[in-house]
Amino acid sequence: MEQQIPSLRRFAAEHTVTTPRASRDRVGRGKGPVLAYVPDERTLDFAASLARGSSLAIVESFHGFPLEGWARQLGAIDLTRPDEQPEQFDSELTEAIDRLDFYKNNGFGDQFGKQQARRILQDLRGAGLLERDIIVGALAAKGASDRAMRNLGKLIDTLDRH
């Protein structure tokens, strides 16, 4: 994809390019800024791990992983609108995200983690704060694995159908 965009083509020519499928030995952590182009859950997780100790720039797509919750959680700057401040979460949503973060250790894959997440998500739905993309993105910013993000998204989708 970077070959179709001149600025990304130049960036790729001057820097190491990798994907989550490549060996992590090929690219060192904290060696410089990381650019993630239209990441999905797995690529965002990989890019964030590579960027530890440096900066992370992400190009978002309408069709890719939604990053608003991630950006709001981190207070990220939208370089297309640098004068705008990211909207903050209200206290109830912040508390729920922190509680979900606490229970994510098994990627919401075990029964206990799923039960706790469902309870928190049901409370959010009752308060009118259940926004899938915002919540999953915020957990991504807190270091949730790609597996945890996918599983949490599925739990939210299940609640939305009922």
Side-chain angles (χ1 to χ4, degrees), residues 21-33:
R21 290 177 286 188
S23 167
R24 287 187 186 237
D25 298 335
R26 200 176 137 212
V27 179
R29 288 187 173 90
K31 301 269 186 196

Side-chain angles (χ1 to χ4, degrees), residues 55-162:
S55 57
L56 175 60
I58 299 178
V59 177
E60 183 179 25
S61 166
F62 291 110
H63 305 292
F65 183 76
L67 294 166
E68 182 183 352
W70 175 88
R72 286 173 61 185
Q73 181 68 38
L74 294 174
I77 299 167
D78 181 342
L79 295 176
T80 65
R81 295 182 292 254
D83 295 330
E84 291 181 21
Q85 294 296 319
E87 183 182 336
Q88 300 295 307
F89 295 130
D90 71 18
S91 59
E92 189 173 356
L93 185 54
T94 298
E95 181 184 325
I97 289 167
D98 288 344
R99 289 177 25 231
L100 286 166
D101 182 49
F102 181 79
Y103 292 112
K104 77 176 187 309
N105 63 328
N106 288 322
F108 303 108
D110 64 324
Q111 196 57 36
F112 180 74
K114 284 180 186 175
Q115 287 173 337
Q116 297 307 310
R118 272 191 209 102
R119 185 175 50 78
I120 296 164
L121 295 169
Q122 286 169 340
D123 290 346
L124 285 173
R125 184 173 65 178
L129 297 172
L130 186 62
E131 294 184 58
R132 182 190 197 279
D133 294 346
I134 300 295
I135 294 165
V136 174
L139 265 286
K142 287 185 157 285
S145 67
D146 58 317
R147 177 177 176 248
M149 288 183 267
R150 280 191 309 274
N151 285 341
L152 183 60
K154 288 176 187 175
L155 288 171
I156 294 170
D157 293 344
T158 300
L159 281 177
D160 279 346
R161 286 193 293 261
H162 291 74

